[in-house]
């Protein structure tokens, strides 16, 4: 059920009361709730450096969706630009752990998957709308892809928000990685029942990556919400701290 929520009520209380506003924004109180519930204590994360090569900063910047690509003017909500940038980074890390040699298709799918959301509720057609936009729109980084890669990205974006056992889905590795990367960022949602469920993931995700995702979400959200740092800079600063982007 979609309701109009009182502007002063923290997001975690809205979700607790099942008041699902069309526009949802993380706030200081909900961020503190998240940090407590996720048990973030700043202990060091043992990233397997022998497996993980940093993501190139220039490539990352080229993947960030432009403002005009979004269906909504305000991209600061829970499915907005910060979410997409983190999913790009989580996609890179999953590709590294799975030894995927040519990850560009995976990264592009991550960059586009939520740009056509109309709101922050289920919005069941947003995957289809983003996939159709991707198929018909020319942009620079897409020009490096062949027809088969474009088709696989299309299906991954189209079905990323759907539960499916379709044979095409089970063979689409881009879709599998995207579902996992998207799920890792569910720890940004201030309600436990919305968090990632490992048994439902199409791939096995390492424990260190889950711990990293939790810490990275809190770190980036604190930079934006509390320190008032611009989102792209906040993501880059956090990624550099963990030596994930160079």
């Amino acid at each position: 059920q979609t309701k109009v929520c009182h502007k002063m009520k923290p997001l975690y209380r809205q979700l607790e009361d099942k008041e699902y506003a069309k526009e949802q924004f993380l706030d200081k109180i909900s961020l503190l709730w998240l940090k407590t519930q996720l048990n973030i204590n700043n202990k060091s994360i043992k990233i397997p450096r022998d497996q993980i090569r940093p993501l190139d900063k220039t490539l990352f910047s080229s993947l960030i969706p432009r403002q005009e690509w979004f269906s909504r003017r305000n991209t600061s909500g829970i499915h907005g630009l910060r979410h997409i940038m983190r999913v790009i980074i989580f996609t890179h890390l999953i590709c590294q752990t799975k030894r995927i040699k040519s990850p560009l298709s995976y990264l592009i799918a991550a960059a586009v998957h939520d740009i056509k959301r109309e709101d922050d509720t289920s919005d069941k057609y947003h995957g289809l709308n983003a996939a159709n936009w991707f198929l018909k729109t020319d942009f620079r980084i897409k020009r490096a892809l062949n027809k088969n890669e474009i088709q696989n990205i299309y299906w991954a974006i189209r079905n990323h928000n759907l539960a499916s056992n379709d044979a095409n889905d089970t063979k689409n590795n881009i879709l599998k990685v995207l579902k996992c990367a998207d799920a890792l960022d569910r720890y940004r949602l201030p309600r436990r029942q919305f968090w990632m469920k490992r048994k439902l993931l199409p791939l096995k995700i390492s424990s260190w990556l889950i711990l990293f995702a939790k810490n990275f979400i809190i770190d980036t959200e604190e930079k934006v919400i509390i320190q008032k740092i611009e989102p792209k800079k906040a993501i880059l600063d956090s990624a550099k701290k963990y030596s994930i982007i160079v």
Side-chain angles (χ1 to χ4, degrees):
Q1 184 179 2
T2 302
K3 300 180 181 180
V4 177
C5 301
H6 193 286
K7 290 184 179 180
M8 299 303 293
K9 184 183 285 190
L11 181 59
Y12 90 92
R13 286 291 306 277
Q14 294 177 29
L15 301 181
E16 189 177 76
D17 296 339
K18 298 184 179 180
E19 297 174 349
Y20 303 130
K22 286 185 175 293
E23 299 282 333
Q24 298 174 21
F25 304 93
L26 198 58
D27 54 86
K28 289 182 181 179
I29 296 174
S30 298
L31 180 57
L32 179 60
W33 182 94
L34 260 181
K35 189 172 183 178
T36 302
Q37 296 296 314
L38 290 172
N39 193 28
I40 302 299
N41 53 21
N42 296 319
K43 69 178 181 180
S44 60
I45 301 166
K46 294 182 179 179
I47 298 174
R49 299 296 175 184
D50 58 325
Q51 296 180 29
I52 304 301
R53 288 182 292 113
L55 177 61
D56 179 73
K57 180 182 175 181
T58 302
L59 174 58
F60 175 71
S61 296
S62 71
L63 289 162
I64 298 173
R66 298 198 292 268
Q67 178 70 41
E68 61 267 25
W69 293 5
F70 288 85
S71 290
R72 295 185 287 177
R73 288 185 180 181
N74 192 334
T75 61
S76 60
I78 60 169
H79 292 98
L81 187 59
R82 303 197 305 271
H83 164 63
I84 287 176
M85 288 191 288
R86 283 193 298 263
V87 172
I88 292 171
I89 289 172
F90 296 155
T91 296
H92 167 74
L93 294 173
I94 294 170
C95 286
Q96 292 284 296
T97 61
K98 302 302 179 185
R99 302 186 183 281
I100 293 169
K101 294 181 179 179
S102 302
L104 182 61
S105 297
Y106 297 76
L107 296 170
I108 292 174
V112 175
H113 80 284
D114 267 358
I115 61 171
K116 292 304 172 186
R117 267 192 168 273
E118 298 290 344
D119 59 54
D120 290 316
T121 59
S122 60
D123 192 3
K124 64 181 180 179
Y125 295 114
H126 77 271
L128 175 62
N129 292 335
N132 288 337
W133 177 91
F134 168 75
L135 206 58
K136 69 183 182 182
T137 305
D138 177 54
F139 51 97
R140 181 177 296 178
I141 200 167
K142 181 182 173 185
R143 296 171 194 162
L145 304 171
N146 61 43
K147 289 183 179 180
N148 186 56
E149 289 169 330
I150 289 172
Q151 193 66 17
N152 285 334
I153 293 171
Y154 169 83
W155 282 106
I157 297 169
R158 184 183 188 274
N159 292 345
H160 81 270
N161 60 307
L162 304 177
S164 173
N165 292 315
D166 185 275
N168 289 324
D169 288 355
T170 58
K171 294 177 182 178
N172 190 325
N173 288 326
I174 298 174
L175 176 61
K176 292 177 183 179
V177 171
L178 179 56
K179 279 180 173 284
C180 291
D182 203 17
L184 281 169
D185 204 51
R186 293 188 71 82
Y187 291 113
R188 79 197 184 285
L189 304 174
R191 185 156 173 77
R192 280 180 169 271
Q193 72 180 66
F194 296 155
W195 291 354
M196 186 185 81
K197 297 174 177 62
R198 292 178 79 168
K199 65 181 180 180
L200 299 180
L201 297 179
L203 298 172
K204 184 178 179 180
I205 299 299
S206 302
S207 295
W208 74 262
L209 184 47
I210 295 172
L211 181 60
F212 168 79
K214 293 175 180 179
N215 280 267
F216 192 68
I217 289 165
I218 296 299
D219 196 42
T220 53
E221 291 298 318
E222 283 184 336
K223 281 180 167 57
V224 173
I225 294 172
I226 297 174
Q227 301 174 37
K228 305 299 182 185
I229 296 174
E230 185 269 330
K232 180 182 175 182
K233 186 178 187 310
I235 297 287
L236 282 172
D237 286 352
S238 293
K240 287 176 182 176
K241 183 177 84 171
Y242 290 104
S243 300
I244 295 300
I245 288 181
V246 295

